[in-house]
Amino acid sequence: MQVIKEVDHPTGLTRKMLKLPVHFYRLGLGRLFGDRLLMVNHWGRVTGKRYQTVVEVIRHEERDDSYLIASGWGPGADWYRNLLRRPRTIVEVDGQTKQVTAEPLPAEEATEIMTGYFWRHRAVAKRMLPRLYGYWVDGSKADFHEVAERVPVLRLAPARPAH
């Protein structure tokens, strides 16, 4: 892996395109994305203001109905930091609203999950990583492993009832 450019959070047209799915969810059309995407509600760490962000589901673990999501822009992404501060939240996925608790995965486990994800989707990853994140990869598992070390993963597990 080689860092070919430093990339900040998206702005301009790229930002608008990435926010487009939020409008689909607000219109009640989130079901169109199935369980491939989900909309997560999160509250600002300082302001307490509610935000909504649509993220890709890396994996849905049916055994416990949890969802694995990743912060492609690293641990500094606002939605990621907000969920670390206030992990109990509500998501919308596949036309359903669910109460969940966000749990960060240990770095080793997150890296293995993301390496597997990149490897399974290597053609797309090889094209998108340089454009979106500034990482040039040769498509090898070693390169994807290096990128995955920079991408934190959260498990959104069904919230346990409060006692």
Side-chain angles (χ1 to χ4, degrees), residues 9-151:
H9 298 296
T11 58
L13 183 58
T14 302
R15 181 180 172 90
K16 287 181 182 180
M17 294 292 289
L18 292 173
K19 289 209 172 270
L20 195 57
V22 170
H23 300 292
F24 279 83
Y25 278 92
R26 288 179 181 163
L27 291 170
L29 301 173
R31 177 170 283 159
L32 295 174
F33 300 112
D35 67 356
R36 190 80 177 105
L37 300 178
L38 65 76
M39 184 168 70
V40 62
N41 293 277
H42 53 99
W43 286 262
R45 298 174 307 285
V46 176
T47 65
K49 181 179 172 186
R50 183 178 138 206
Y51 296 95
Q52 296 175 310
T53 302
V54 175
V55 296
E56 182 179 13
V57 173
I58 302 304
R59 186 164 73 205
H60 176 212
E61 296 187 335
E62 294 187 24
R63 65 180 160 76
D64 66 352
D65 196 28
S66 65
Y67 296 86
L68 300 180
I69 61 173
S71 179
W73 276 275
D78 284 330
W79 69 264
Y80 178 80
R81 294 172 61 203
N82 289 344
L83 286 175
L84 291 179
R85 173 70 60 92
R86 186 175 172 179
R88 284 185 66 98
T89 192
I90 299 167
V91 298
E92 185 178 329
V93 60
D94 202 15
Q96 298 177 5
T97 301
K98 300 181 178 195
Q99 292 189 9
V100 299
T101 301
E103 306 163 356
L105 293 185
E108 280 185 22
E109 185 179 352
T111 299
E112 288 306 311
I113 287 167
M114 289 308 298
T115 301
Y117 174 80
F118 289 141
W119 188 245
R120 284 190 308 277
H121 303 285
R122 62 186 165 275
V124 172
K126 196 172 172 183
R127 284 192 313 273
M128 296 307 291
L129 285 171
R131 290 186 181 132
L132 284 177
Y133 306 112
Y135 304 136
W136 182 86
V137 293
D138 62 12
S140 70
K141 197 165 189 171
D143 264 11
F144 289 138
H145 190 273
E146 195 172 339
V147 173
E149 288 178 340
R150 301 168 181 252
V151 180

